[in-house]
């Protein structure tokens, strides 16, 4: 590092003659650039004054795949900056993203986190596209994100950009409710070695682990980054995280009047005990183990850069689904390889994701093997993307691009799954007037499992009455293609059926119905017939979004945000229970192990009582409208301190009149009100933060049957951190405390209980 002169000036010897651009960056200040002309062997650069950073001036890339100031972006974005990451008390990405407006986050187990924008989230949330340096980590076969495959070392991250709203016009399928794009630093931005060691405990005096002592968690990460010359630079990272299981809730879910249909009740089911029980009645909760390794090499070449990158991440632990919890076993991994070329706006990106996992279900038993229902999957994704942007005159910028993707699948619960090819192309025209910035664009995608191409348009007008204020009006559409599981799920499960009401009719056979009969039923995807009759083809689910938003900075230190949105969701793909009489067992074809004379099945049918063979399938459900308001303020107090507060109001979803109306019993009700506030500070000797997250009660209807549906209580989560930098500034010790007041917080009706956790972290840089 070259020292500055007494007035802050720098001297650069041996600079080649010609025109050069000097960029100066410093945490907490706005980036400054100067164009310098060199005509001699040395050049003296005068002092450069840096203004305090203004969030609205931050450059983002996710909105249009080109560099755009946040205030000019054609979509509503939130940012998590490197300053926040340096002091955050967050112990996973869910904790980190929960503080953003419009973002719904739930944690169900030590490793199971789900994130959705502007709608109720759920287990296996599948509407949010998640990217790591433009590489999708969304698993297309099921439509889920395993967040434990993200970087473990947050000091490697430059910023996290979150598009709050549909984004298929640029990013294609699966950006239905938004995009999370994690952007890492280049090796040249973080030279040196960083080692981070963490360890701590969390309270478990609740639910299934009451009185059993604290749980433990620990982690370690190391990063080495070097730039040996002007052409080559590299970064190697490795990490590991381990946590004991969280407490499981016990007792029964409250039996309540259904808030969507007052004539019905929901709840009443007993939580499966956390212990050793027979399949279908109990399961042993699990913690998580997450090793990671990543390597990156950058090659500077003729004004551009080629990046070579690869790595592997492992995971284990509980993942909750609509058919109960699966236990991802150790040895489950996602590996990837990536090559990226960039020169100015030109980008060529090739990557492959290779995912392999084994996960037995902890509640459901396979009727044939009498072993837990097994989810084993191996998927390969190969993707090629090309994009560029260029000017047309002085007022227009065109952005174009496209990608081709191949997905290969091998999945035990979808043995007939077909591999899939996906093609997409997009174009966008940005037109600049003195006070107005227009964006007109769209994307066409063709998926192998959809009969027709899908068009995703975008229209946005940004009005700028002043340089630091913008008002945006936008319209766009987004979609999600049916997943392989939606199309090809094929499982047989036990469904206990109480036949005791028949006892008076059976005479000496009455003892045979004293216990619930384990009826074998099937759950199938849309491509499999029901009762020998083909099902209607699933189409893509879509969101049509309308938004009015304001972003402004009245004084250079304060950034204000206001957004009002209306999202109309149509053809929502849901796992739906079928009428019992649609595909019933008959006297000629009784269920396996039927204990009574087969003729009784016919007598039951005459009374309108049917024993179904097919219980569930996936259907497109009719339109639903969701709307909300988001308010935010971000304050740069000084170069060391930032603060924020935001509020989100989300209306109860309303069913839109249609020939195929959305069934009320399938609706989930997101929290109506959410509030977040906090601050971060980073001085020469101290750093830290404090964050408060409040979420209203929410209603969940996405796990098993209606007896497991119900509300979660409103909660307030208070987190904080405090760190000390030792005099050399190469060692930092940080204490992080989540849920400081040790409340019993359950974020999903079937999820684990979150109690206070205390973690110490030691960071060493050299």
């Amino acid at each position: 590092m070259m020292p500055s002169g007494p007035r802050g000036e720098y001297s650069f010897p041996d600079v080649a003659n010609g025109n050069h651009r000097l960029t100066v960056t410093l945490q907490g200040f706005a980036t400054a650039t100067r164009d310098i002309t060199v005509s001699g062997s040395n050049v003296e650069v005068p002092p450069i004054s840096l203004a305090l950073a203004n969030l609205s001036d931050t450059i983002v890339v996710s909105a249009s795949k080109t560099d755009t100031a946040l205030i000019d972006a054609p979509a509503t974005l939130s940012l998590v900056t490197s300053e926040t990451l340096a002091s955050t008390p967050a112990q996973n990405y869910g904790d980190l993203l929960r503080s953003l407006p419009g973002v719904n986050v739930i944690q169900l187990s030590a490793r199971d986190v789900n994130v959705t924008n502007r709608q109720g989230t759920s287990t296996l949330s599948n509407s949010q596209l998640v990217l790591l340096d433009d590489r999708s980590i969304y698993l297309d076969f099921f439509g889920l994100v395993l967040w434990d495959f993200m970087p473990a070392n947050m000091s490697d991250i430059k910023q996290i950009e979150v598009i709050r709203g549909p984004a298929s016009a640029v990013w294609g399928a699966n950006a239905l409710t938004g995009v999370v794009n994690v952007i890492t630093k280049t090796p040249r931005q973080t030279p040196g070695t960083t080692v981070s060691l963490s360890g701590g405990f969390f309270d478990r005096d609740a639910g299934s682990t009451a009185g059993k002592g604290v749980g433990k968690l620990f982690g370690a990460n190391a990063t080495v980054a070097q730039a040996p010359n002007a052409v080559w630079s590299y970064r190697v990272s490795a990490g590991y995280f381990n946590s004991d299981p969280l407490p499981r809730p016990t007792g029964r879910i409250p039996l309540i009047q259904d808030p969507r249909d007052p004539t019905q009740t929901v709840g009443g089911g007993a939580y499966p005990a956390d212990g050793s029980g027979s399949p279908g009645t109990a399961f042993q909760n699990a913690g998580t183990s997450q090793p990671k390794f990543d390597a990156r090499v950058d090659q500077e070449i003729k004004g551009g850069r080629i990046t070579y990158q690869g790595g592997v991440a492992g995971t284990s632990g509980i993942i909750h689904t609509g058919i109960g919890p699966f236990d991802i076993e150790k040895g489950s991994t996602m590996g990837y390889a990536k090559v990226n070329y960039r020169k100015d706006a030109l980008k060529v990106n090739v990557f492959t994701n290779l995912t392999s996992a084994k996960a037995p279900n902890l509640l459901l038993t396979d009727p044939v093997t009498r072993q837990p229902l097994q989810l084993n999957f191996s998927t390969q994704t190969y993707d090629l993307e090309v994009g560029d942007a260029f000017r047309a005159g002085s007022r227009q910028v065109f952005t174009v691009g496209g990608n081709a993707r191949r997905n290969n699948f091998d999945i035990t619960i979808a043995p007939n799954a077909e591999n899939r090819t996906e093609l997409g192309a997009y174009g966008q025209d940005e037109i600049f007037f003195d006070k107005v910035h227009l964006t007109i664009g769209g994307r066409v995608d063709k998926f192998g499992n959809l009969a027709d191409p899908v068009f995703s348009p975008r229209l946005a007008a940004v009005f700028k009455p002043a340089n630091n204020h913008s008002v945006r009006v936008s319209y766009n559409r987004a979609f999600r293609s049916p997943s392989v599981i939606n199309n090809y799920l094929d499982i047989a499960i036990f469904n206990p059926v109480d036949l005791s009401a028949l006892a008076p009719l059976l005479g000496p056979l009455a003892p045979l119905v004293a216990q619930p009969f384990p009826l074998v039923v099937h759950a199938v995807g849309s491509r499999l017939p029901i009762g020998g009759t083909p099902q209607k083809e699933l189409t893509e689910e879509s969101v049509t979004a309308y938004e009015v938003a304001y972003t402004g900075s009245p004084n250079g230190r304060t950034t204000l945000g206001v957004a009002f949105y209306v999202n109309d969701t149509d053809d929502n793909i849901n796992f739906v229970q079928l009428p019992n009489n649609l595909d019933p067992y008959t006297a000629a074809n009784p269920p396996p192990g039927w204990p009574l004379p087969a003729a009784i099945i016919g007598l039951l049918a005459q009374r309108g009582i049917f024993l179904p063979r097919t219980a569930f399938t996936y259907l497109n459900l009719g339109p639903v409208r969701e709307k909300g308001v988001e308010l935010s303020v971000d304050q740069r107090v000084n170069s060391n301190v930032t603060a924020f507060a935001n509020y989100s109001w989300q209306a109860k979803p309303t069913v839109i009149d249609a020939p195929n109306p959305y069934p009320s019993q399938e609706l989930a009700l997101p929290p109506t009100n959410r509030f977040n506030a906090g601050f971060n500070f980073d001085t020469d000797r101290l750093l830290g933060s404090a964050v408060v997250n409040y979420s209203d009660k929410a209603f969940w209807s996405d796990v098993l049957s209606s007896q497991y549906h119900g509300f979660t209580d409103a909660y307030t989560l208070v987190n904080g951190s405090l760190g000390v930098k030792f005099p050399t500034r190469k060692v930092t010790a940080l204490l992080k405390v989540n849920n400081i007041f040790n409340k019993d917080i359950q974020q999903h009706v079937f999820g684990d209980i979150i109690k206070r956790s205390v973690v110490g972290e030691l960071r060493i840089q050299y």
Side-chain angles (χ1 to χ4, degrees):
M1 179 70 71
M2 181 182 298
S4 64
R7 294 180 295 115
E9 74 276 12
Y10 285 86
S11 177
F12 297 89
D14 303 322
V15 177
N17 290 347
N19 296 323
H20 300 267
R21 172 160 290 184
L22 177 68
T23 301
V24 181
T25 60
L26 182 64
Q27 181 173 302
F29 293 87
T31 298
T33 61
R34 296 290 186 273
D35 292 323
I36 308 294
T37 300
V38 178
S39 57
S41 59
N42 295 322
V43 59
E44 295 289 337
V45 179
I48 297 176
S49 298
L50 299 181
L52 286 175
N54 184 352
L55 182 64
S56 63
D57 292 330
T58 303
I59 300 299
V60 296
V61 298
S62 301
S64 297
K65 293 196 176 182
T66 57
D67 291 350
T68 308
L70 179 64
I71 199 170
D72 297 325
T76 301
L77 272 89
S78 291
L79 282 175
V80 180
T81 66
S82 58
E83 297 168 89
T84 300
L85 294 169
S87 60
T88 179
Q91 294 171 16
N92 56 53
Y93 283 88
D95 291 339
L96 191 64
L97 298 176
R98 184 177 288 112
S99 295
L100 301 180
V103 180
N104 277 323
V105 178
I106 56 171
Q107 182 173 356
L108 292 96
S109 74
R111 61 142 308 279
D112 191 12
V113 172
N114 287 273
V115 178
T116 308
N117 285 329
R118 296 181 172 178
Q119 66 172 211
T121 188
S122 63
T123 61
L124 290 187
S125 181
N126 55 22
S127 63
Q128 188 89 10
L129 183 63
V130 179
L131 308 162
L132 176 57
D133 290 329
D134 292 352
R135 176 178 64 88
S136 173
I137 65 165
Y138 181 100
L139 297 181
D140 297 86
F141 85 95
F142 219 152
L144 76 152
V145 174
L146 300 181
W147 289 89
D148 23 10
F149 289 155
M150 298 293 278
N153 194 345
M154 290 191 179
S155 65
D156 293 339
I157 298 174
K158 177 182 177 182
Q159 63 190 38
I160 301 175
E161 301 178 4
V162 181
I163 299 179
R164 300 179 352 235
S168 289
V170 173
W171 294 103
N174 310 322
L176 192 70
T177 62
V179 176
V180 177
N181 191 9
V182 178
I183 301 171
T184 63
K185 301 172 183 176
T186 68
R188 293 183 185 275
Q189 292 175 318
T190 55
T193 299
T194 302
V195 177
S196 175
L197 304 173
S198 62
F201 61 90
F202 56 90
D203 186 16
R204 296 199 298 175
D205 192 16
S208 62
T209 54
K212 295 185 179 180
V214 300
K216 297 180 288 296
L217 54 87
F218 63 90
N221 302 284
T223 298
V224 178
Q226 297 293 336
N229 54 50
V231 175
W232 296 97
S233 59
Y234 66 88
R235 181 179 68 220
V236 178
S237 301
Y240 181 76
F241 174 75
N242 184 279
S243 172
D244 285 342
L246 305 179
R248 287 290 304 156
T250 55
R252 288 188 175 272
I253 296 173
L255 180 67
I256 61 171
Q257 184 182 69
D258 191 334
R260 306 154 304 176
D261 182 356
T263 66
Q264 303 295 321
T265 60
V266 294
Y271 282 107
D274 179 13
S276 56
S278 60
T281 62
F283 70 88
Q284 181 71 44
N285 203 16
T288 185
S289 177
Q290 301 172 16
K292 296 181 176 70
F293 175 80
D294 183 89
R296 169 174 172 167
V297 176
D298 285 2
Q299 180 185 8
E300 312 297 327
I301 179 170
K302 295 181 180 179
R305 174 183 297 148
I306 302 177
T307 297
Y308 312 90
Q309 199 164 0
V312 63
T315 187
S316 66
I318 303 293
I319 181 171
H320 289 275
T321 75
I323 54 175
F326 286 87
D327 185 11
I328 301 177
E329 297 179 339
K330 289 184 178 180
S332 300
T333 61
M334 172 188 275
Y336 81 95
K338 172 182 172 182
V339 178
N340 175 274
Y341 172 73
R342 288 181 182 269
K343 183 176 182 181
D344 299 324
L346 174 63
K347 176 182 69 175
V348 180
N349 191 48
V350 180
F351 73 81
T352 180
N353 290 334
L354 308 174
T355 308
S356 177
K358 294 183 178 181
N361 192 288
L362 298 178
L363 292 179
L364 302 182
T365 302
D366 186 298
V368 177
T369 66
R370 299 302 174 107
Q371 297 298 313
L373 178 68
Q374 190 74 26
L375 168 60
N376 297 345
F377 61 90
S378 175
T379 69
Q380 300 90 40
T381 299
Y382 306 94
D383 188 278
L384 167 64
E385 180 182 5
V386 179
D388 200 0
F390 53 90
R391 289 189 173 274
S394 60
R395 293 187 178 272
Q396 285 182 278
V397 174
F398 288 97
T399 305
V400 295
N403 78 299
R405 179 175 297 181
R406 175 69 174 179
N407 282 309
N408 298 332
F409 307 105
D410 183 5
I411 309 166
T412 55
I413 63 173
N416 297 308
E418 294 181 359
N419 299 331
R420 193 162 75 190
T421 299
E422 307 166 9
L423 303 174
Y426 64 90
Q428 179 174 279
D429 183 11
E430 297 177 87
I431 308 171
F432 299 87
F433 299 102
D434 291 341
K435 297 291 185 180
V436 180
H437 173 194
L438 299 178
T439 300
I440 304 170
R443 179 180 172 115
V444 176
D445 288 275
K446 179 62 179 75
F447 277 56
N449 64 331
L450 293 176
D452 300 315
V454 181
F455 178 55
S456 305
R458 165 193 277 179
L459 298 173
V462 178
F463 303 91
K464 298 193 68 176
N467 286 337
N468 293 329
H469 300 269
S470 69
V471 177
R472 176 172 45 80
V473 180
S474 65
Y475 157 84
N476 69 90
R477 285 175 56 85
F479 80 101
R480 183 181 77 86
S481 173
S483 72
V484 168
I485 296 299
N486 297 154
N487 287 147
Y488 294 103
L489 177 70
D490 187 3
I491 59 174
I493 56 179
F494 283 124
N495 181 30
V497 177
D498 186 2
L499 301 176
S500 59
L502 300 176
L505 306 176
L506 298 177
L509 297 178
L512 295 177
V513 296
Q515 298 294 326
F517 172 65
L519 181 69
V520 177
V521 295
H522 289 81
V524 299
S526 65
R527 293 285 177 94
L528 302 184
I530 293 179
T533 302
Q535 297 190 64
K536 182 180 178 181
E537 284 284 321
L538 281 179
T539 189
E540 72 280 358
E541 62 177 286
S542 64
V543 170
T544 302
Y546 311 88
E547 185 174 3
V548 179
Y550 163 78
T551 303
S553 181
N555 58 17
R557 296 190 180 190
T558 307
T559 300
L560 303 175
V562 180
F564 170 72
Y565 65 87
V566 176
N567 290 347
D568 290 343
T569 302
D570 200 3
D571 291 318
N572 188 270
I573 301 172
N574 266 39
F575 196 45
V576 176
Q577 185 169 359
L578 297 172
N580 287 345
N581 62 350
L582 183 63
D583 182 31
Y585 285 103
T586 65
N589 182 25
W594 181 245
L596 302 173
I600 291 179
I601 297 176
L603 296 176
L604 292 175
Q606 292 176 11
R607 299 188 179 196
I609 302 172
F610 299 92
L611 301 179
R613 284 185 291 180
T614 305
F616 296 90
T617 192
Y618 289 95
L619 297 177
N620 287 117
L621 302 182
V624 172
R625 172 162 292 174
E626 295 172 291
K627 56 186 177 181
V629 175
E630 297 160 1
L631 309 174
S632 65
V633 56
D634 292 273
Q635 179 71 34
R636 167 69 66 182
V637 180
N638 54 44
S639 61
N640 304 116
V641 181
T642 61
F644 73 92
N646 58 68
Y647 167 75
S648 303
W649 172 81
Q650 194 166 346
K652 177 181 177 180
T654 57
V655 176
I656 300 174
D657 289 337
N660 178 30
Y662 198 103
S664 62
Q665 66 268 23
E666 297 295 334
L667 285 174
L669 306 181
T672 302
N673 301 286
R674 297 190 307 281
F675 173 78
N676 305 293
F679 67 88
N680 300 275
F681 66 92
D682 191 345
T683 68
D684 289 340
R685 293 297 306 275
L686 299 174
L687 78 162
S689 65
V691 181
V692 177
N693 307 122
Y694 169 81
S695 180
D696 241 342
K697 67 178 183 178
F699 181 84
W700 310 94
S701 59
D702 60 321
V703 170
L704 300 173
S705 58
S706 62
Q707 63 179 323
Y708 296 102
H709 300 169
F711 281 102
T712 48
D713 293 332
Y715 65 85
T716 300
L717 189 61
V718 181
N719 307 324
S721 65
L722 180 63
V724 178
K725 301 176 184 177
F726 289 89
T728 62
R729 300 192 65 184
K730 293 184 177 181
V731 178
T732 301
L734 195 67
L735 182 67
K736 301 180 178 183
V737 184
N738 276 17
N739 194 1
I740 290 174
F741 296 106
N742 203 25
K743 302 293 185 180
D744 288 5
I745 294 176
Q746 191 176 351
Q747 297 175 3
H748 186 284
V749 70
F750 203 78
D752 289 354
I753 300 171
I754 298 173
K755 299 283 288 183
R756 180 197 294 131
S757 64
V758 180
V759 175
E761 183 174 314
L762 184 66
R763 302 173 186 165
I764 304 170
Q765 296 176 299
Y766 54 91

